[in-house]
Amino acid sequence: VQLQASGGGLVQAGGSLRLSCAASGRTFSRLTISWFRQAPGKEREFVAGVRPSSSIPAYSESVKGRFTASRDNAKNSVYLQMSSLKPEDTAVYYCAADFGLILSSMRDHSKYDNWGQGTQVTVSS
């Protein structure tokens, strides 16, 4: 599985951005696809994810209510709509994918074998 993330950029606090992650292959609909982010000097952290069997995304507490994850299986794509952005949202955002992840595993970045290249999101105050 190859992943290509895009859509990052520079935005003022309170603004919005939409990230996209395009995946290759015919097995997209069976993948759990998640967004992680990593700020300088910090651990990579889970942001949001969508399992193939559930239409309800999972979110970290820090983004719940501000970010919306969605997937379009017909387009082999996953999206992250980010609103009410804060300076602390500044990070490189990665999409990751893998098969067969149970709910308790999807927040663990070490469970994913397939990663996109990352896209920088910078939120200015």
Side-chain angles (χ1 to χ4, degrees):
V1 178
Q2 292 186 326
L3 303 170
Q4 180 77 31
S6 61
L10 173 64
V11 64
Q12 288 189 332
S16 299
L17 279 175
R18 188 192 194 213
L19 305 184
S20 298
C21 178
S24 64
R26 302 179 183 178
T27 56
F28 180 85
S29 62
R30 297 194 287 119
L31 290 166
T32 290
I33 301 196
S34 295
W35 292 95
F36 290 81
R37 66 186 181 187
Q38 189 165 19
K42 294 189 176 182
E43 296 277 329
R44 189 167 295 192
E45 65 171 343
F46 174 82
V47 176
V50 187
R51 296 171 66 213
S53 60
S54 172
S55 61
I56 303 175
Y59 299 97
S60 68
E61 287 300 316
S62 61
V63 307
K64 193 176 292 185
R66 300 188 298 120
F67 291 11
T68 302
S70 61
R71 66 189 294 160
D72 185 339
N73 288 342
K75 295 184 178 180
N76 276 21
S77 293
V78 172
Y79 308 99
L80 185 67
Q81 178 66 47
M82 306 185 294
S83 302
S84 302
L85 282 161
K86 304 175 181 179
E88 51 263 43
D89 294 318
T90 295
V92 177
Y93 284 70
Y94 299 89
C95 57
D98 219 312
F99 298 99
L101 293 179
I102 60 176
L103 187 59
S104 60
S105 297
M106 69 185 296
R107 298 172 185 265
D108 182 351
H109 64 83
S110 70
K111 301 297 185 184
Y112 293 80
D113 288 335
N114 306 286
W115 290 85
Q117 84 287 5
T119 185
Q120 176 71 46
V121 172
T122 303
V123 184
S124 63
S125 56

